[in-house]
Amino acid sequence: MLHVSWWKTALIWFVVLLSVLLAVPNLLGERSLSSLPAWAHRKIELGLDLRGGSHLLLKMERGDVEKDRLETIVGDIATRLRTVNVAYSGLTGTGRKIQLRINDPAQVQAALTALQPLTTGSDKQAVALSQGENGAMTLDITDADIDRHVTSAIARSIKVIRARIAQLGVGEPQIRRQGADRIVVQVPDLADAQRLKNLLGQPAKLSFRLVDPSMTVQDAMDNHPPAGSDVLFSEDDPPVGYLVQRQPLLSNVDFSNAVSVTNDQSGEGTVSVKLTPEATHRFAQSTASNLGKITVVVLDDQVISAASLKTVIATGEIDVPGDFTVQGAQDLTVMIKSGPLPATLTTVEERTIQPGLGGEAARYGVIACIAAGIFVAALMIGFYRLLGIIATIALLINIVMVIAAMGLLGITLTLPGVAAIVLIIGIGLDALVLVYERVREEEKKTHLLVDALRHGFNRAAATVADANLTVLIVAAILFYASTGAVRGFAATLMVGVFTTFFASCFVTRSLVNMWISRRKPRTLLVGVRSGVFDNANIRFMGIRRYTFTVSAALSVITLVAFATVGMHLGIDFAGGSIIEVRAKQGVADVADIQSRLEAVIPGDVRVERLADRLGAVIRVHAQEGGENAEQSAVSLVREELGKDYNFSRVEVVGPAVSGEITTTASLAVLAALAAILIYIWVRFEWQFAIGAIIATLHDVILTLGLFVLTGMEFNMTGIAAILTIVGYSLNDTVVVYDRMRENLKRYSQMPLPILIDASINQTLSRTILTSATTLLALFALYIFGGEVIRAFTFVLLFGVAVGTFSSIYIAAPVLILFKLRPDKFQTGGESNGPAAGDIQSGKPAV
């Protein structure tokens, strides 16, 4: 029996039991869950692509903050100089530059003293002041001051956003800052993303102002409007201009509450605001002194209504005049109650999916996982019989541990995350095959099952760790470089690497130990059918020149096609919009949609029918005109098709975000290759590192060729697929390299091509079985995972096949090309090669 101390066994099964307890809540409903202790309430949160909802990335307009700071500092300067009786002239501000002149040169020093609090202090300095001739001064608002106020504005905006969403009655939103000037908003179960954008995109600065009758609007536009007045326009078509006083009678700070009322007869909405006590008194005085004058209601610098003051308003309650729909009145009420945003928030990225469609994707994902488990379990039991059953139990425990860890760590399960779980199934059985095959080899040497199991598990553990560490490195880089659903994939894969190592090297060993204790078998080989390739003597290196030449030619052709034809970049990298619509009646008319959208949207528009003919996918290429242009294009699509179609999925990526994603993705691939080079170099020799990099580049290039050849969209999930392929290919390569290194230590005089052939033949059973299990798992995902993830899975299927090929025919021959010296690995052992017969069979005694 395996010598595993009782406390280690107890610890292993304690971890397994704890994982089961943490995973069980995911099977319970809310009512059953409420009866459990609080610590057991942690369930895996479903991502928006599985649950439905809206993801918005909002960018704070830095220009609004700069404009606000300019006005504030100009006012502050005027106040400070008046306080010390310093006469000045020409106080103006443009952008972030303020200019003025001190009339009396003798008062310049007094002015500098008054302005000193603005210009000194490393943590509070607002402006940098420079002096000119004749009392001229220039003040530049500092970057540090703008950055501080952007940070403050972001914090206030998050509070306002949270207050507005709270009144929609939807699921618990996730709102967080991202970067210097962006806010991520994720609202699950929200069906109306357009309403959410309208609520969050408006600063909602509401004010009541008097019309300035001193000149006509046209005169004010032709010349300069009077000091203290502005020309504003209404929402009408064509818009009506008003010359209004800048100082409001009422503004947001004067409103203590707001309610919306629906008129049952007209079906219209009305908004009523309640004033604070101080504002009630002040407004009563204002209306008394301005009877007969026209007042306008201004929302975000746009006039929404105008009315004449006919009576004194002293009640403190006002109906906001204007023509509102019921929803429009409700939304305005929400915005008034939550307060105004400090600056405009522009939607630079949107990913919305209807709750029903998300639930459908989740069902497909569950079916795919079950199918993948059945496929690989059948394969393992067919080859390993009882050990295959143990492997299946270990696989189930592995998946339970993944679910438990994700719930405990708060990792959101996304649709690509489901693909990661399927991939974990393949990687987990990959590790078990590696362990079992090593045990078989050890049994042939020792003929003692207990010793074979002990040595096999111990020696396989290092190889499993090496192989899985490459996947972990790639997943960590992908996690850092991605957001949203792809980050969920990376996080799930990272968790799976740790649970896979624990399940394959500890749980499986404990299960085998139990079996031996009860059944006391004499041999492992009875019933095991994985030795199909034990007598293989394939001369892989004999055709290395041909395979190398063909692979090089394919790589060159791919690079040429990539440079000339190019790839079909998705919106993640090119910007633009993807809109999935479903006909409210009948089937989707693709030709009609195409013609209608071409008439209203500038640029290229492509429409493709979905497989069920009830819906279509609309792709709108990136629009010119900045971030708002993309949202405008989506609004045009909604207006044109809204009567005939439901919008089930909307994805919009603005130019700023697409550029950042492109840069980040490129750096992620380069970082992955660099990390691989360093890791393999440290663990092996530089020739191994070069071989691994060349094999990896081969896989990456051919995978890119697949995108060029098929015309599939290349987006962030494509980057995820490539990095996953890199990790899996290295997994294979490391196992082959590990066997080569082991043989190099034993047989320094064996010709390198023959030693490489022998090493590959020794690991051939493992290579075939692990590739088969992974391909079966991915095939189940391809068949049952649904349309949304099918292209991603197809790329993974291709990559696993290519990665298996490159581990044998690219990574290995490079060692010969770079003249790897076997004597570097000599630490004792045989100095002469094995007998000719042993070499012929490709099976040195290991």
Side-chain angles (χ1 to χ4, degrees), residues 23 81 110 239 243 307 323 340 400 430 626 655 673 685 711 754 776 792 802 824:
L81 294 180
L243 181 63
D323 298 326
V400 168
D430 185 338
L673 294 177
E685 284 288 328
I754 296 177
L776 270 177
F792 177 65
V802 170
K824 286 186 177 182

Side-chain angles (χ1 to χ4, degrees), residues 164 197-205 299-300 335 340-341 345:
R164 291 183 182 181
K197 288 192 294 183
N198 292 338
L199 276 176
L200 303 186
Q202 285 188 263
K205 295 179 179 179
L299 180 64
D300 296 332
M335 290 186 283
L341 290 167
L345 296 175

Side-chain angles (χ1 to χ4, degrees), residues 599-649:
V600 297
I601 296 178
D604 188 20
V605 178
R606 293 194 302 134
V607 183
E608 300 172 1
R609 192 191 304 274
L610 292 175
D612 60 6
R613 299 177 61 82
L614 300 178
V617 175
I618 303 165
R619 288 177 170 84
V620 181
H621 281 215
Q623 303 290 296
E624 296 181 359
E627 305 293 343
N628 285 320
E630 305 298 341
Q631 291 296 327
S632 298
V634 174
S635 296
L636 289 173
V637 174
R638 288 184 181 275
E639 291 174 6
E640 183 64 31
L641 304 179
K643 293 182 180 179
D644 305 316
Y645 293 89
N646 292 318
F647 290 75
S648 55
R649 180 168 65 100

Side-chain angles (χ1 to χ4, degrees), residues 7-46:
W7 66 268
K8 288 183 180 179
T9 302
L11 181 60
I12 290 169
W13 289 102
F14 171 77
V15 172
V16 172
L17 178 60
L18 181 62
S19 298
V20 172
L21 292 176
L22 291 173
V24 163
N26 291 280
L27 303 176
L28 303 178
E30 293 300 325
R31 180 177 298 179
S32 301
L33 199 62
S34 61
S35 62
L36 296 177
W39 63 267
H41 288 190
R42 299 187 71 94
K43 297 176 63 175
I44 294 180
E45 289 291 335
L46 295 182

Side-chain angles (χ1 to χ4, degrees), residues 437-454:
E437 290 303 299
R438 173 61 83 168
V439 170
R440 282 204 317 112
E441 292 177 11
E442 294 295 328
E443 188 181 22
K444 290 178 183 178
K445 287 167 48 180
T446 64
H447 301 291
L448 295 173
L449 179 57
V450 174
D451 290 341
L453 288 167
R454 183 174 65 253

Side-chain angles (χ1 to χ4, degrees), residues 311-335:
T311 60
V312 176
I313 303 175
T315 61
E317 294 185 0
I318 308 170
D319 287 340
V320 179
D323 298 326
F324 300 105
T325 63
V326 173
Q327 183 173 302
Q330 292 172 348
D331 290 349
L332 182 58
T333 301
V334 167
M335 290 186 283

Side-chain angles (χ1 to χ4, degrees), residues 248-271:
L249 299 177
L250 294 171
S251 62
N252 290 80
V253 295
D254 300 316
F255 307 138
S256 63
N257 197 10
V259 294
S260 61
V261 180
T262 302
N263 188 320
D264 295 331
Q265 295 181 346
S266 65
E268 296 180 346
T270 303
V271 178

